[in-house]
Amino acid sequence: MRTSRRYLAFMYAMAVLMAVIILAPFAWLVISSISSPADLVSSHVHWLPERPTLERYRQIFTSASGGDNVAGDFRVAMLNSLIVAGSTTVISLVLGCLGGYAFARLRFPFRRTTLMSFLAIYMLPPIALVIPLYLALSGLGLLDTKLGLIVTYCSLVTPFCLWTMSNYFLSLPPELEEAARVDGCSRFGALVRVVLPLARPAILATAMFGFLLAWDEFLYSLIFTSTTNSKTIPVAIAEFTGKFSSDFGLVAAGGVLAALPPVLLALVFQRFIVGGLTAGAVKG
C-alpha cells in the first residue's frame, strides 16, 4: 500500500513538473506582453510586471491598418490566417476523407505507389518547392492573394490528411459497410452514414493538425505575399522587429494572440475526440 501511494505521489509530482515546464514559456510570454518597456529592458528580471499595461492589445485591436502601423496590420493578418487556415483545413479534409477511403477500400493499379507519392510530396522540404510554386502562382496571377496561399497550403496539408485518414479507414471493419450496402446504401451512402461517424475521432484530430500546419506556416507566406491584404500571422509577428529597434512587448502580445486559436481548438476538439472514441458500431 505504501509503495502504491509513493508511486502515485511520484507520478503526480512528475506530471506537475512537466506541466510547469510546458506552460512556463507561455506564462512568460503573457507576462512580457503586459510588462512596461522599462521592465522588459531592465537588467533585473521582473517575474511580475511592476506597472502592467494592456496598451499593446489595445493597439492591435483598435489601431488603423496600413502605413507603418504594424499593430493594426497584425489584426488584419489574424483574419487572413483564419481564412487561409480554415479554408485549407476544410478542403484538405474533404479530399483526405474521400481519397483516404478510396485508398483503403478500393483496389486499383498503383494504389500503394500513388499513396506513397503523395506522402513523398509531403516529406519534401518546403524550400525545394519555393521556385516552382512561385512560378506557378505567378503564371496564374495568384501571388499576394489569400487564394494563392490556400492552394499552396492544400498541397502540404492534403497529403497528410490522405495518409492519416486512409490508415484509420483500414482499421475499421469492412463488414459494417457491407451490412449497410445490403440494406440498400450505395458505397457513398455507406461512407457518409456508417464510416464517417465512426471515423469522427480521426477526422477531428486530422483537422486539428491540418489547421496547425497551415496556421504556423511561415516560409511560403513570407515569399508569396507582399501586402497586408494577404499576409498571415507568422509574417506579421516577424515585422514587429524593425531595422534599428524591436518592440519585444508587442512581439509577446502577438505571440499570445497567435497561440489562442490553436489552444482553444485543441480544448474543444479534445472533448469531441474523447466522446467519439467511446462511441462504437453497436451504439443504438
Side-chain angles (χ1 to χ4, degrees):
M1 182 65 68
R2 290 182 178 179
T3 303
S4 178
R5 290 180 178 177
R6 290 177 181 178
Y7 177 75
L8 289 176
F10 174 77
M11 293 300 296
Y12 280 121
M14 291 297 100
V16 171
L17 178 61
M18 288 297 299
V20 170
I21 293 174
I22 293 173
L23 296 177
F26 185 75
W28 184 249
L29 194 69
V30 174
I31 292 172
S32 300
S33 69
I34 61 175
S35 298
S36 64
D39 292 336
L40 291 175
V41 299
S42 175
S43 58
H44 301 286
V45 177
H46 295 272
W47 298 109
L48 293 176
E50 296 181 355
R51 294 176 296 275
T53 176
L54 298 176
E55 177 63 21
R56 301 182 185 92
Y57 294 100
R58 188 194 66 79
Q59 292 179 11
I60 290 176
F61 287 109
T62 61
S63 299
S65 60
D68 296 329
N69 190 352
V70 293
D73 292 343
F74 183 82
R75 183 178 65 256
V76 179
M78 287 185 64
L79 180 60
N80 292 340
S81 289
L82 286 174
I83 294 174
V84 172
S87 302
T88 300
T89 302
V90 171
I91 296 173
S92 299
L93 194 60
V94 171
L95 295 176
C97 288
L98 296 177
Y101 180 79
F103 283 119
R105 290 291 185 260
L106 303 182
R107 296 295 178 264
F108 52 88
F110 305 108
R111 178 180 62 90
R112 190 68 178 175
T113 304
T114 305
L115 182 59
M116 295 302 296
S117 299
F118 280 110
L119 185 62
I121 294 174
Y122 173 73
M123 296 175 64
L124 286 175
I127 193 65
L129 302 174
V130 166
I131 294 178
L133 286 175
Y134 187 92
L135 295 176
L137 293 179
S138 178
L140 295 173
L142 295 178
L143 284 177
D144 196 27
T145 63
K146 290 187 281 290
L147 179 59
L149 285 181
I150 292 172
V151 172
T152 302
Y153 290 172
C154 282
S155 67
L156 300 176
V157 180
T158 300
F160 170 77
C161 295
L162 278 173
W163 179 258
T164 55
M165 293 309 302
S166 63
N167 286 335
Y168 192 86
F169 288 146
L170 284 173
S171 67
L172 298 177
E175 291 78 12
L176 296 174
E177 304 161 51
E178 295 172 1
R181 298 190 66 183
V182 168
D183 291 337
C185 278
S186 62
R187 183 177 290 275
F188 183 76
L191 171 64
V192 174
R193 292 182 172 86
V194 178
V195 178
L196 292 184
L198 293 176
R200 184 172 59 176
I203 292 174
L204 294 178
T206 303
M208 182 176 64
F209 284 108
F211 182 88
L212 293 178
L213 286 173
W215 180 267
D216 295 333
E217 204 285 323
F218 174 75
L219 179 63
Y220 291 149
S221 180
L222 176 65
I223 296 176
F224 298 156
T225 62
S226 57
T227 64
T228 308
N229 295 329
S230 53
K231 288 182 179 179
T232 56
I233 279 183
V235 179
I237 293 178
E239 291 182 347
F240 286 158
T241 303
K243 184 176 181 181
F244 300 104
S245 63
S246 300
D247 191 337
F248 298 107
L250 200 57
V251 172
V256 171
L257 293 176
L260 283 180
V263 170
L264 295 176
L265 192 67
L267 292 176
V268 172
F269 274 20
Q270 181 185 23
R271 180 169 61 89
F272 285 104
I273 290 173
V274 172
L277 287 173
T278 60
V282 297
K283 185 176 181 180

